[in-house]
Amino acid sequence: LLGMCDVGACQMYPGDTLDGVAVGSSSGGSSTGGNRVETAPIAVDPPTDPLVYSPGMSYEDVSIPDGKVGVKSACNYLDDGLQYVLPYGTFDEESAPLLPVMCSQGNTILDASLSFERYSQYFTSLYMYDVGIAGPTLDDFSTWRQWYLPLESSDDFLYGVADDCATQCVTDGLKQDHTYYMTGNFYLCAWITKGDCDMDAETYECYVCARNGGRSTSVYPGVCSHVAASADFQVHDDHFQCTGNNDNMKPSIGLQHQFCVCYNPTNAGLHASYVMDEATYSAQVSVLQQELSASEAAEAASQAQAINDGSDNVVYLSNADFLYGTYRITEPGIYILTEDIVINFNAPSDAQRAADDFSPNSYDALYWLPHTDGTQDEHYMGASTWNGPYQLGFFTGVTVETSNVVIDLNGFEIGMSDEFYLQQRFFSIFELAAKNFVAGQGPVDFGPYLNAATNVIIKNGVIGKATHHGVHANDASAVTLENLQIHSFDVAGIQLNGFKDIAIRDCDIGPSSSNIPVTGRYLHARTLLRRFAHLVDSYGDEAFAFYGRESRTVREYVDELVTQMDMVYFHVIDGVEYDDTDEQWMKAKDLFINPNENGYGDGGVVYGILLNSRGGAVMGFGNAPSQSTNAVIENVAIHDLAISPLEKLKFKTNPLGGATRGPVADVFDIMKVADQWDDISTANYVGTAYSDVQIAMSQFEKSWFVLDHTCFDEGIVSWAIDGLNFDVNGYYGGCNTDIQLHINKGVIGLRIDNIVGFQVSNVQIYNLLNTGVLGTETDVCGAYTQGNAHQDPLITAGYTGTEGYGVTITQSTDGVLANVNINNLETHYGFATGVALFKQSSVEFTENIVVDNINAGTKMDVSYLRPLQDYLPNKIPMACSVFDNNYGTHFELTGTITASNVRGYLLCDADTAMIGDCDDETCSASHDSDFFDALKQQQLKQALKEQQQQRKEKTFTVYGSFSHSLLQIPIYLVLPFTALALISIYMCYLWSHSYTQIGAGDEKHKLKQNLSEYTPLLN
């Protein structure tokens, strides 16, 4: 239980905004970058007063004739324990059935775990968001009072919450109107601490956390399924409010006999008992009791230890098992490959390809996606609906949704075909769960069932081409990965989140993909084809025009995008070459084709292995409070990883809105769609085929199931459609993000985040490369240490997309590193570190830790740095062998750490930051800190000199104008005016001379203030 809201003024983040340019401001850019103003109006303490109502004896119920039964509408006059009621005071087997409730001291406790189907008849809608959480559907905006239908007609109810769903019902002593609400992330609305301090998935314990990388003194609730709030707490029904920094909450009720809501009608609000035949009542009770018994048996079975070890279920797999979709393992067993598997789900037939009008990206045919005609719905939830793990496409080759599974690759390889690799841009070969996101995370509603795997072995073979991961898992336990070669992945060879007891042994991981044909924008376009189809089907004939262009229909905008996507497909897969005079091709090439000549990914990070606490790792290092436990990595090689991140900006014109984005958090690429970016305030919209459709969807689509995360404020839309520049609307921004609004991190061999108990031994990490260019320098972001709200600048500051690490350890304890060799790590412009020990971590370095050939900033030039901005956001490239950032860290050195050939513009401080020895001859910095201090002072003096020169030029202009005016004065007035002018000049000299002496220090301070670091934050 987290806290409560004042029903009159429960605004969670009224000050959660950015300093920037207000409407009508003469300035075109953000002068301070956005210092977050924080408030914490939600009380952290839960309600504790018992809900007590004494009905007295004045209430008269109906009389009960012989042979009849009176069924109460609530627990007011019933004994404690399980009871059956009719809340409406009436009975209908379908629409008003007997309802099982728990009674406690006259209070009625609603426990939907008892019978989800029966409870659904008493709510405006009831949808399962997670196995333990239910609430109104996405497009149901009821308050709790409105949601529970028997309460809607009367205010004569007292409300409370019952965490155990059986005994004490508690509330606030004064108002007595508390119910439970879920935070917005569960239903695709914004929640500002998402990813920072999420609810514990097992205990459902909720947390609070500070913003500004943990530096703030104010705290906010984290993601939580049961925030106590008034029964009348208003639910936002405007989609823009949903996706902005608002108090987004929706009524909730627990589904695992915890976090229930209770109520007690006064006599005025209590429905009379319903009188029914005793035989009818007995028959209904018998049916209900059978349902309850079956439910109890199912609950017991789900909690029981699996008996089937799978040894008697041997399954041989061939390409025939991978023709039409993901191979789902739902039964224990031993699964053995019999040949190399090339994945190309639901590909078009030869006849379809041969057709003259063949469109590989047709939003009608939807090739390579689950069938939307309903034929695959039973096997692939979400295939034709807007909820379920497959609504965006096939996300994996194989799921493991049960326990006791052995997958023996038997020496064979499994990976994506070339065209499926292009057409399905988020895909893992193995997913150790039924879906790829935990509840409350991800771009869409992936459904309630995670079904995480337990006791799984994957061994003996090759895991090949994948657009995201070789192996990915959430909440898996007892996982062994052994004797595997994992290569040609875009994001990570292995990513395990929220695990218990995993072992990775005798594995070779790398190289990462080096022939990625397209940017992340092609992923978005493919992912959204179903939503584009809905937009065209519903609003295709609607017409509108962008500023300076002719009007077109929605269908025409979408068709142009598909045409460009098809050109990319034919170019990449069939080798079609288009003429550079072809306007559509040049637009498609600029929008979709990967600009990196080596084919490295444009995303924010690539990993060999990522071990993380629960949920995604797309925010900053060590964000979430949960922990994974017990990891062993031994005899593993991680090598040949390369990345070339491209920074994107978060942007908006409404300070209370969210970052401008599409349905799957696909960022509105403000720099690409503007005609220029030198002067943001006067930039004009030129757009791309993709951004045109993003805006069309934001303006015409009405379904919340289709809009998902879409967020376009009026200022952005008026800029594109009406030509209203940002000097009118103002603007706000954030940075250090990629095209998916994830924080850029660079190349990382092994990342260990929030792990308790880890052993890394006999591990080689080599040939890591980050060619990413410098972060964007614009008035939107300026100089910053914390460019993203989820970035902790005390861990990594400024722009971080240029960095490279062999190993990072963050908020992880009880660790051991032994016999680890890190060799040949290079960044073109950023930090390069062999091992980084970050925030609140403890590790023992035993045996031999060898670090060699670490090179930071090999393409950097001093002229690229910004001394007057304290070398921010792009930092001086620093190299380090083993780095301790002294942020609550602890280490023991019982073995040896030796380093050589560590080179950068600077080296980390040997006395305070570097752990172990680094060879004096080969560990070298091209410059020292004194050089950069002197460079800063030199440029500061030059800037002051230029300011003074500009002031003098203005003074001479004034004097010259004055002298010219004298020539126009009649001769008899010249002498008096000349004398007056001489006196004035002399006085001005005295004033300016004294100002220079007295105010010189202030002027320098003022200049420093104008150029100093600031922190833009935008969610």
Side-chain angles (χ1 to χ4, degrees):
L1 183 63
L2 203 85
M4 63 195 77
C5 291
D6 184 330
V7 64
C10 186
Q11 299 298 318
M12 297 189 180
Y13 311 111
D16 187 21
T17 182
L18 303 173
D19 297 333
V21 183
V23 174
S25 170
S26 59
S27 171
S30 174
S31 62
T32 65
N35 297 313
R36 185 180 296 279
V37 179
E38 297 191 357
T39 57
I42 289 189
V44 178
D45 297 326
T48 57
D49 298 317
L51 178 62
V52 178
Y53 171 65
S54 300
M57 301 304 295
S58 59
Y59 178 77
E60 294 185 8
D61 203 357
V62 296
S63 58
I64 309 298
D66 293 338
K68 301 287 185 179
V69 174
V71 184
K72 304 291 185 182
S73 63
C75 289
N76 292 51
Y77 297 92
L78 294 176
D79 295 334
D80 290 354
L82 179 66
Q83 298 284 357
Y84 309 140
V85 299
L86 292 171
Y88 288 129
T90 186
F91 171 74
D92 183 90
E93 191 169 354
E94 298 296 328
S95 61
L98 279 178
L99 189 70
V101 298
M102 298 300 295
C103 295
S104 175
Q105 300 177 357
N107 300 309
T108 304
I109 300 175
L110 299 174
D111 183 1
S113 313
L114 296 172
S115 176
F116 190 88
E117 292 301 321
R118 289 175 181 265
Y119 270 77
S120 65
Q121 303 302 317
Y122 288 95
F123 289 88
T124 56
S125 61
L126 191 62
Y127 176 73
M128 186 186 299
Y129 287 91
D130 185 37
V131 291
I133 309 164
T137 56
L138 193 62
D139 55 355
D140 184 344
F141 311 110
S142 302
T143 65
W144 232 106
R145 188 188 304 277
Q146 296 165 340
W147 184 39
Y148 184 53
L149 294 173
L151 305 185
E152 185 179 12
S153 61
S154 173
D155 291 334
D156 296 323
F157 292 85
L158 308 179
Y159 310 97
V161 294
D163 284 4
D164 66 356
C165 298
T167 57
Q168 189 178 37
C169 180
V170 297
T171 188
D172 173 71
L174 181 62
K175 294 183 178 180
Q176 300 188 75
D177 71 344
H178 278 88
T179 53
Y180 274 139
Y181 281 69
M182 71 180 87
T183 52
N185 59 288
F186 287 104
Y187 56 97
L188 301 178
C189 287
W191 190 256
I192 204 163
T193 58
K194 177 182 176 181
D196 287 333
C197 52
D198 294 352
M199 177 181 73
D200 188 293
E202 293 185 357
T203 66
Y204 281 68
E205 180 180 357
C206 294
Y207 302 89
V208 296
C209 55
R211 305 295 294 155
N212 283 353
R215 294 179 296 171
S216 171
T217 57
S218 298
V219 296
Y220 294 97
V223 164
C224 185
S225 66
H226 48 281
V227 177
S230 167
D232 297 301
F233 182 88
Q234 194 64 41
V235 178
H236 291 303
D237 59 1
D238 179 270
H239 195 266
F240 178 76
Q241 291 177 320
C242 157
T243 54
N245 295 334
N246 294 300
D247 47 333
N248 290 302
M249 294 201 301
K250 189 184 279 283
S252 70
I253 190 168
L255 290 181
Q256 293 179 324
H257 305 295
Q258 59 181 350
F259 309 119
C260 292
V261 169
C262 45
Y263 68 96
N264 198 319
T266 65
N267 286 340
L270 185 63
H271 293 298
S273 295
Y274 179 78
V275 179
M276 59 192 308
D277 291 336
E278 188 173 330
T280 301
Y281 176 75
S282 297
Q284 292 296 319
V285 167
S286 177
V287 171
L288 179 51
Q289 288 176 339
Q290 291 176 23
E291 293 175 4
L292 293 175
S293 296
S295 178
E296 290 175 2
E299 290 176 5
S302 67
Q303 296 174 5
Q305 195 75 21
I307 299 175
N308 183 1
D309 65 2
S311 59
D312 60 349
N313 180 31
V314 179
V315 180
Y316 295 95
L317 300 176
S318 67
N319 279 291
D321 297 297
F322 293 88
L323 294 177
Y324 306 109
T326 299
Y327 187 87
R328 296 179 56 199
I329 297 177
T330 58
E331 296 292 334
I334 301 171
Y335 296 79
I336 304 173
L337 296 193
T338 60
E339 60 181 338
D340 289 340
I341 304 297
V342 181
I343 299 171
N344 198 19
F345 297 149
N346 282 347
S349 65
D350 291 342
Q352 290 168 325
R353 295 173 192 268
D356 292 338
D357 60 349
F358 172 60
S359 169
N361 295 291
S362 166
Y363 51 77
D364 293 319
L366 297 174
Y367 300 120
W368 294 281
L369 297 175
H371 296 316
T372 58
D373 59 3
T375 58
Q376 290 193 302
D377 280 12
E378 184 176 354
H379 207 57
Y380 302 118
M381 180 181 178
S384 68
T385 64
W386 302 116
N387 65 300
Y390 294 91
Q391 62 164 300
L392 297 182
F394 295 109
F395 61 91
T396 186
V398 179
T399 63
V400 181
E401 307 172 33
T402 185
S403 59
N404 300 330
V405 170
V406 175
I407 300 175
D408 188 349
L409 302 185
N410 197 24
F412 294 108
E413 179 171 355
I414 179 171
M416 304 174 77
S417 71
D418 288 344
E419 69 174 359
F420 195 55
Y421 177 77
L422 173 67
Q423 297 297 81
Q424 184 57 31
R425 296 299 303 155
F426 68 98
F427 191 87
S428 300
I429 304 303
F430 290 99
E431 183 72 44
L432 305 187
K435 60 179 183 175
N436 52 347
F437 285 92
V438 298
Q441 293 189 12
V444 298
D445 177 10
F446 288 103
Y449 304 109
L450 182 62
N451 297 340
T454 301
N455 195 22
V456 175
I457 299 173
I458 304 177
K459 63 180 182 178
N460 300 339
V462 180
I463 300 175
K465 184 173 290 185
T467 50
H468 266 51
H469 310 89
V471 180
H472 183 264
N474 284 299
D475 294 4
S477 60
V479 174
T480 299
L481 307 175
E482 61 185 9
N483 194 24
L484 297 171
Q485 180 187 356
I486 304 175
H487 68 87
S488 303
F489 47 85
D490 290 11
V491 177
I494 299 170
Q495 179 173 345
L496 306 177
N497 306 318
F499 60 81
K500 294 180 180 178
D501 304 320
I502 63 98
I504 303 171
R505 297 188 178 96
D506 303 316
C507 291
D508 182 89
I509 300 172
S512 61
S513 300
S514 59
N515 190 26
I516 301 174
V518 289
T519 66
R521 189 56 88 204
Y522 193 81
L523 178 157
H524 295 144
R526 282 288 306 172
T527 296
L528 293 174
L529 280 178
R530 281 190 60 207
R531 281 161 172 77
F532 294 160
H534 186 275
L535 178 67
V536 170
D537 289 344
S538 303
Y539 310 100
D541 295 331
E542 299 284 349
F544 75 106
F546 291 100
Y547 186 72
R549 296 199 233 158
E550 294 182 358
S551 178
R552 303 175 73 182
T553 65
V554 169
R555 178 178 285 101
E556 289 174 322
Y557 286 117
V558 176
D559 286 347
E560 180 178 23
L561 175 61
V562 170
T563 296
Q564 293 183 15
M565 294 170 65
D566 286 351
M567 297 179 84
V568 168
Y569 173 91
F570 292 129
H571 172 72
V572 173
I573 300 302
D574 297 338
V576 175
E577 295 292 338
Y578 297 94
D579 198 303
D580 285 347
T581 61
D582 188 324
E583 182 180 0
Q584 283 286 18
W585 167 243
M586 296 308 291
K587 290 180 178 179
K589 182 179 178 181
D590 180 63
L591 180 59
F592 291 129
I593 295 296
N594 185 1
N596 186 270
E597 62 183 8
N598 297 305
Y600 303 151
D602 66 325
V605 65
V606 64
Y607 305 98
I609 298 175
L610 168 55
L611 304 180
N612 184 46
S613 54
R614 190 173 198 260
V618 299
M619 305 303 181
F621 288 100
N623 276 114
S626 61
Q627 296 174 323
S628 294
T629 56
N630 300 330
V632 174
I633 302 175
E634 58 184 7
N635 300 325
V636 170
I638 300 170
H639 60 93
D640 296 291
L641 310 181
I643 192 73
S644 189
L646 292 177
E647 184 186 22
K648 302 299 179 181
L649 301 183
K650 299 180 178 182
F651 198 82
K652 63 182 182 180
T653 66
N654 186 328
L656 296 181
T660 308
R661 60 194 187 274
V664 290
D666 41 308
V667 67
F668 182 67
D669 194 350
I670 188 70
M671 290 187 291
K672 182 173 283 292
V673 303
D675 62 345
Q676 54 84 20
W677 207 242
D678 294 330
D679 181 4
I680 302 169
S681 63
T682 60
N684 297 305
Y685 178 78
V686 292
T688 65
Y690 189 85
S691 65
D692 287 353
V693 175
Q694 280 183 308
I695 293 173
M697 179 166 286
S698 75
Q699 296 306 290
F700 293 101
E701 185 59 69
K702 300 298 186 295
S703 171
W704 282 44
F705 297 94
V706 177
L707 286 170
D708 295 308
H709 289 281
T710 300
C711 183
F712 278 75
D713 62 45
E714 292 182 3
I716 295 292
V717 174
S718 63
W719 175 64
I721 294 179
D722 303 323
L724 198 62
N725 292 122
F726 296 127
D727 57 356
V728 177
N729 287 314
Y731 56 85
Y732 307 82
C735 30
N736 199 20
T737 186
D738 65 9
I739 203 166
Q740 191 64 46
L741 298 176
H742 299 163
I743 293 180
N744 296 308
K745 303 178 190 71
V747 59
I748 302 175
L750 169 62
R751 177 180 170 186
I752 299 172
D753 260 34
N754 295 298
I755 311 301
V756 177
F758 59 94
Q759 296 183 14
V760 180
S761 61
N762 300 323
V763 170
Q764 297 182 50
I765 300 174
Y766 57 93
N767 296 346
L768 307 188
L769 175 64
N770 185 345
T771 66
V773 298
L774 294 168
T776 304
E777 295 179 346
T778 73
D779 288 342
V780 174
C781 295
Y784 63 84
T785 55
Q786 185 185 7
N788 192 297
H790 299 285
Q791 176 183 0
D792 186 343
L794 298 182
I795 298 178
T796 54
Y799 179 63
T800 55
T802 54
E803 299 183 353
Y805 302 90
V807 179
T808 65
I809 303 170
T810 312
Q811 290 184 181
S812 298
T813 58
D814 300 332
V816 174
L817 266 63
N819 288 326
V820 175
N821 189 309
I822 299 171
N823 179 47
N824 198 20
L825 165 61
E826 178 186 357
T827 66
H828 281 187
Y829 297 99
F831 283 16
T833 306
V835 179
L837 188 62
F838 287 143
K839 180 182 180 183
Q840 296 174 356
S841 292
S842 64
V843 65
E844 179 183 3
F845 297 99
T846 69
E847 302 185 47
N848 300 315
I849 310 298
V850 179
V851 179
D852 183 47
N853 204 19
I854 307 297
N855 295 282
T858 58
K859 303 295 184 181
M860 177 65 86
D861 190 278
V862 172
S863 63
Y864 301 161
L865 298 171
R866 298 291 177 261
L868 294 181
Q869 297 179 176
D870 289 330
Y871 299 101
L872 291 168
N874 296 298
K875 300 157 294 188
I876 304 167
M878 179 181 292
C880 198
S881 53
V882 180
F883 175 70
D884 178 7
N885 83 330
N886 294 292
Y887 189 177
T889 55
H890 173 76
F891 69 90
E892 294 183 21
L893 183 53
T894 58
T896 60
I897 296 177
T898 57
S900 56
N901 299 304
V902 178
R903 307 179 186 93
Y905 271 52
L906 292 174
L907 294 184
C908 62
D909 187 88
D911 296 325
T912 61
M914 185 181 292
I915 304 174
D917 298 324
C918 202
D919 179 62
D920 291 337
E921 293 185 6
T922 61
C923 295
S924 61
S926 60
H927 304 76
D928 59 22
S929 58
D930 291 341
F931 170 84
F932 292 107
D933 291 340
L935 182 62
K936 179 178 177 180
Q937 290 302 316
Q938 177 185 345
Q939 292 200 11
L940 183 62
K941 290 178 181 179
Q942 181 63 31
L944 284 168
K945 183 177 179 180
E946 292 175 358
Q947 283 191 356
Q948 291 170 351
Q949 181 63 32
Q950 292 173 359
R951 187 166 61 245
K952 287 181 180 180
E953 290 174 358
K954 291 180 180 179
T955 302
F956 286 138
T957 301
V958 172
Y959 292 166
S961 299
F962 183 67
S963 300
H964 178 74
S965 299
L966 286 176
L967 296 177
Q968 312 301 318
I969 300 175
I971 190 66
Y972 63 86
L973 294 177
V974 169
L975 291 177
F977 270 98
T978 300
L980 180 60
L982 290 172
I983 294 171
S984 299
I985 291 170
Y986 179 68
M987 295 301 294
C988 285
Y989 168 76
L990 291 177
W991 175 83
S992 63
H993 182 69
S994 63
Y995 176 80
T996 302
Q997 289 181 327
I998 298 171
D1002 292 337
E1003 183 69 15
K1004 184 179 290 187
H1005 176 68
K1006 184 177 182 179
L1007 178 64
K1008 285 185 177 179
Q1009 278 190 322
N1010 290 339
L1011 298 173
S1012 66
E1013 176 265 330
Y1014 58 80
T1015 301
L1017 298 171
L1018 180 60
N1019 291 280

